[in-house]
Amino acid sequence: QEIADYNEATTSVVVESEGFSNDYGAQPLTTMFDCEIILAFTLEGLEMTFTTSSVDISSVICVKDIKVQQKMWYGWKTVFTSEGAESYNEDMFGADLTYPDAVNGKTYRVTCVHYANYDVYEEVENDTGAFKFVL
């Protein structure tokens, strides 16, 4: 079995707390960190790994609303979607997804929403920005 060479591009979003304070001057802790979309270009297609990490065990932790979009002359066209998945009572979530119809040389972007419920429900959007799928 041949092993395909692939280029790897990584994008990540670090969630910052808003920095607001209550009457006691306590700053809320940011729930999520290391929210990543890792991309691998392979013969199987565009392989995506989504990770969401939480500072502590969260009642629910997840990635949802996953979209793969292809750049067209008029803008971005959604070519693949996934509802995502979730885990319960974990401090880290990971999921793999493959978009098999990625076309060599075309430009894509991947977006998703990471969320976690530790003491409050928090979500953050992640967007890889444009990248060219090249084998």
Side-chain angles (χ1 to χ4, degrees):
Q1 172 158 351
E2 279 189 47
I3 296 175
D5 283 340
Y6 64 87
N7 304 325
E8 194 169 43
T10 303
T11 181
S12 61
V13 166
V14 177
V15 188
E16 302 284 351
S17 68
E18 293 298 304
F20 58 86
S21 58
N22 59 23
D23 293 341
Y24 306 104
Q27 296 236 332
L29 204 63
T30 301
T31 303
M32 290 183 290
F33 65 98
D34 284 351
C35 295
E36 289 189 324
I37 305 172
I38 298 169
L39 304 171
F41 305 152
T42 74
L43 296 176
E44 304 298 312
L46 174 62
E47 296 186 9
M48 298 160 276
T49 301
F50 300 88
T51 58
T52 305
S53 302
S54 173
V55 291
D56 209 334
I57 299 293
S58 291
S59 55
V60 61
I61 186 166
C62 149
V63 171
K64 66 176 184 174
D65 300 341
I66 297 166
K67 292 188 186 90
V68 177
Q69 297 179 316
Q70 184 178 335
K71 192 163 180 56
M72 312 298 266
W73 60 270
Y74 54 81
W76 294 97
K77 174 185 175 187
T78 299
V79 292
F80 185 76
T81 61
S82 170
E83 289 178 3
E86 58 189 21
S87 294
Y88 303 96
N89 303 314
E90 300 279 347
D91 61 3
M92 188 171 170
F93 170 84
D96 294 318
L97 194 60
T98 300
Y99 170 53
D101 301 323
V103 178
N104 199 16
K106 295 285 186 193
T107 299
Y108 294 92
R109 72 179 177 191
V110 180
T111 64
C112 70
V113 174
H114 301 269
Y115 74 83
N117 193 342
Y118 168 47
D119 44 2
V120 295
Y121 176 90
E122 223 178 4
E123 66 176 41
V124 61
E125 289 187 31
N126 199 349
D127 181 342
T128 60
F131 61 88
K132 193 169 273 199
F133 181 80
V134 181
L135 285 176

